[in-house]
Amino acid sequence: TQLLEQSPQFLSIQEGENLTVYCNSSSVFSSLQWYRQEPGEGPVLLVTVVTGGEVKKLKRLTFQFGDARKDSSLHITAAQPGDTGLYLCAAFTSGTYKYIFGTGTRLKVLA
Amino acid sequence: DAGVTQSPTHLIKTRGQQVTLRCSPKSGHDTVSWYQQALGQGPQFIFQYYEEEERQRGNFPDRFSGHQFPNYSSELNVNALLLGDSALYLCASTQWGDSSNQPQHFGDGTRLSIL
């Protein structure tokens, strides 16, 4: 069974702090996506990483795909209350079209 | 350009009843997937439909069934509802093909509560 484990599960920080969320697996993925989900809404795609070692930046968010394409991280610089939400990593399992999600990281940024 | 739309947004049922949820994919998409998301957890894959056939299925019992119509819209049916079926049900659409690099576009879900 291919699993995506995220850590930490919960995170509560003050506005202006930095944080990193991790997404780990024992499986290799051809690509990996990160989503943010707010209450009452569906997940919204933030980024897709494809190449091992790839780094992508989206304003204050930096995404990295591990060299072996088994893990990924999301770093937020100077977090703001608007960053509050559930962060999910996701990927297609190898050889199938089953799309699996990580266990999720619930972030709360306090003003 | 309409995104993925789901109906209804909220639904309350009792144990043993049956429910049907509906999804219209994003324009240009032909593949629909359904997910169950329990409170505070990541979505769990139920199944995927393409060309009106179930192509992939997750670890869900036969009480969960679906259908895709010629216009690519889809339904999720759940029979003999249990309390544990209470969740947010998400629909996602994409284009069939090299899906390994295709992100999925999600609707806002149907919140199903079982009493």
Side-chain angles (χ1 to χ4, degrees), chain A residues 31 37 42 45 92 97-99, chain B residues 37 57 97 99-101 107-108:
Chain A
S31 68
Q37 184 179 21
L45 179 69
F92 278 103
Y97 287 117
K98 293 183 182 180
Y99 197 59
Chain B
Q37 186 176 25
R57 190 178 181 92
S99 297
S100 61
N101 291 325
D108 286 338

Side-chain angles (χ1 to χ4, degrees), chain B residues 6-20:
Chain B
Q6 292 186 242
S7 63
T9 55
H10 294 84
L11 201 52
I12 299 174
K13 292 284 188 178
T14 57
R15 282 178 297 176
Q17 285 189 312
Q18 177 267 342
V19 68
T20 297

Side-chain angles (χ1 to χ4, degrees), chain A residues 9-10 30-33 35 37 40-45 48-50 86 88 92 95-104 106, chain B residues 35 37 39-45 48 56-58 88 90 94 96-109 111:
Chain A
Q9 188 176 0
F10 299 98
S30 59
S31 68
L32 185 142
Q33 284 81 39
Y35 294 82
Q37 184 179 21
E41 299 181 7
V44 175
L45 179 69
T48 296
V49 287
V50 178
L86 178 66
L88 297 159
F92 278 103
T96 75
Y97 287 117
K98 293 183 182 180
Y99 197 59
I100 60 172
F101 280 85
T103 47
R106 188 164 297 280
Chain B
Y35 298 81
Q37 186 176 25
L39 198 61
Q41 298 182 19
Q44 297 293 315
F45 174 74
Q48 180 186 65
Q56 294 288 340
R57 190 178 181 92
L88 179 68
L90 294 164
T94 189
W96 187 264
D98 183 15
S99 297
S100 61
N101 291 325
Q102 292 265 1
Q104 302 219 355
H105 297 256
F106 286 84
D108 286 338
R111 173 69 63 188

Side-chain angles (χ1 to χ4, degrees), chain A residues 35-111:
Chain A
Y35 294 82
R36 180 170 66 217
Q37 184 179 21
E38 300 189 32
E41 299 181 7
V44 175
L45 179 69
L46 296 174
V47 77
T48 296
V49 287
V50 178
T51 307
E54 180 178 9
V55 176
K56 282 192 173 179
K57 291 191 174 184
L58 184 65
K59 296 183 180 179
R60 294 175 295 99
L61 278 60
T62 301
F63 304 86
Q64 185 163 7
F65 203 13
D67 292 341
R69 291 185 286 124
K70 292 183 178 181
D71 54 83
S72 182
S73 64
L74 157 60
H75 182 79
I76 301 179
T77 302
Q80 299 178 359
D83 296 328
T84 294
L86 178 66
Y87 287 82
L88 297 159
C89 61
F92 278 103
T93 55
S94 59
T96 75
Y97 287 117
K98 293 183 182 180
Y99 197 59
I100 60 172
F101 280 85
T103 47
T105 295
R106 188 164 297 280
L107 172 65
K108 186 170 186 178
V109 182
L110 304 170

